Amino acid sequence: MEHFTIATVAEKSPDFRRVLWTGEHSQLVIMTIPPGGEIGEEVHEDIDQILTFVSGTGEARVAGEKREVVSGDLVVVPAGTKHNFVNTGPNPLVLYTVYGPPEHADQAVHHTKEEADAAEAAGEDEPPTA
């Protein structure tokens, strides 16, 4: 059994992205977006994503709509939907997200967005089912 006190685990991670668990059909990832930072506009063609916000304030940009997000909010991004999440506050925007199916390499840790983008560009962040 895998067990996480997810808000505590997410709050303690300074990393932009850290894969906590990867299964055959889904994946659990925690993210910390620095003030002024963002995930980056993207589309996952065949992957649904559910994001739950633990702390901080930000803006969800999903399918052309914008909405403020705060601690306790949950946003669903269906496969094929353009999206981005931007930190609009003075503190880190901390969240955890579930991908179905997995999106990233098992146990991947990217300390910064730049590191994450470089790993993706180099083909080093492929899910195990790819």
Side-chain angles (χ1 to χ4, degrees):
M1 171 189 350
E2 296 287 336
H3 177 271
F4 301 98
T5 304
I6 193 65
T8 303
V9 171
E11 280 284 338
K12 288 182 178 180
S13 176
D15 300 311
F16 175 74
R17 179 169 51 225
R18 178 179 292 270
V19 175
L20 290 183
W21 178 84
T22 302
E24 185 176 347
H25 303 288
S26 61
Q27 185 174 61
L28 175 62
V29 176
I30 53 177
M31 297 187 74
T32 300
I33 304 167
E38 63 182 84
I39 290 175
E41 189 172 88
E42 59 187 359
V43 175
H44 306 297
E45 291 299 335
D46 301 314
I47 298 171
D48 293 321
Q49 186 175 6
I50 300 169
L51 302 96
T52 303
F53 296 86
V54 174
S55 65
T57 57
E59 183 177 77
R61 300 175 182 173
V62 180
E65 293 184 45
K66 294 180 182 179
R67 184 163 297 174
E68 180 184 15
V69 290
V70 297
S71 177
D73 286 351
L74 182 144
V75 177
V76 175
V77 180
T81 304
K82 185 184 295 185
H83 61 282
N84 190 8
F85 295 87
V86 179
N87 184 340
T88 59
N91 299 311
L93 180 61
V94 179
L95 64 103
Y96 61 93
T97 183
V98 176
Y99 295 97
E103 166 69 359
H104 299 287
D106 189 27
Q107 299 182 5
V109 176
H110 301 117
H111 302 293
T112 65
K113 180 177 183 340
E114 294 75 22
E115 186 178 312
D117 290 346
E120 288 178 18
E124 297 169 355
D125 188 32
E126 296 299 315
T129 57

